[in-house]
Amino acid sequence: QVQLVEAGGGLVPAGGSLRLPCTAPGRTLSRYAMGWFRQAPGKEREFVAAITGSGRSTYYADSRKGRFTIPRKNAKNTVYQQTNSLKHEGTAVYYCAATYYRDLLSAGANYGYWGQGTQVTVSS
């Protein structure tokens, strides 16, 4: 069992930036590809970004390219989700997830481990 812990959520002004860390106490995250997903109120969970275990390849939802990045620091056993120019539609619970898969990383069904999520609210 891999326990994933997200942090960094809260109230953020529109147009601002956000950096959410995801860690796995007692686990080596570099063994896993990692993904970030989000679920807005009343909507289905959607893919945001993913990164391979080595960090050499990243994947983004088409609508979010340019504003989202998913840096990982394996030395710190941490994967981040960085968002710039936040929009109101960014209000959601953000989840990090881990998988042994090496492709098809945009599909939530391919992830076996999920964090509890962290709430992000974008304010006017």
Side-chain angles (χ1 to χ4, degrees), residues 41-119:
K43 296 187 177 181
E44 294 186 353
R45 183 181 65 196
E46 60 180 0
F47 170 70
V48 175
I51 186 168
T52 55
S54 65
R56 283 194 284 268
S57 297
T58 54
Y59 307 88
Y60 299 96
D62 288 340
S63 61
R64 283 176 274 282
K65 287 181 179 178
R67 294 193 301 115
F68 286 67
T69 58
I70 184 170
R72 72 184 301 161
K73 296 186 182 297
N74 285 339
K76 293 187 176 183
N77 211 40
T78 304
V79 176
Y80 301 90
Q81 195 239 294
Q82 173 81 35
T83 308
N84 300 320
S85 302
L86 277 162
K87 300 180 179 180
H88 291 291
E89 66 186 28
T91 294
V93 178
Y94 286 74
Y95 299 91
C96 72
T99 179
Y100 286 114
Y101 276 66
R102 296 188 178 185
D103 54 15
L104 303 178
L105 297 179
S106 64
N110 290 340
Y111 290 80
Y113 307 103
W114 292 82
Q116 293 297 310
T118 184
Q119 174 71 49

Side-chain angles (χ1 to χ4, degrees), residues 1-6 22-24 27-29 31-37 45 95-101 105 107-117:
Q1 186 71 19
V2 178
Q3 180 186 10
L4 299 174
V5 181
E6 306 98 336
C22 173
T23 60
R27 294 285 181 168
T28 302
L29 273 184
R31 298 178 60 189
Y32 307 91
M34 301 295 295
W36 281 94
F37 295 77
R45 183 181 65 196
Y95 299 91
C96 72
T99 179
Y100 286 114
Y101 276 66
L105 297 179
N110 290 340
Y111 290 80
Y113 307 103
W114 292 82
Q116 293 297 310

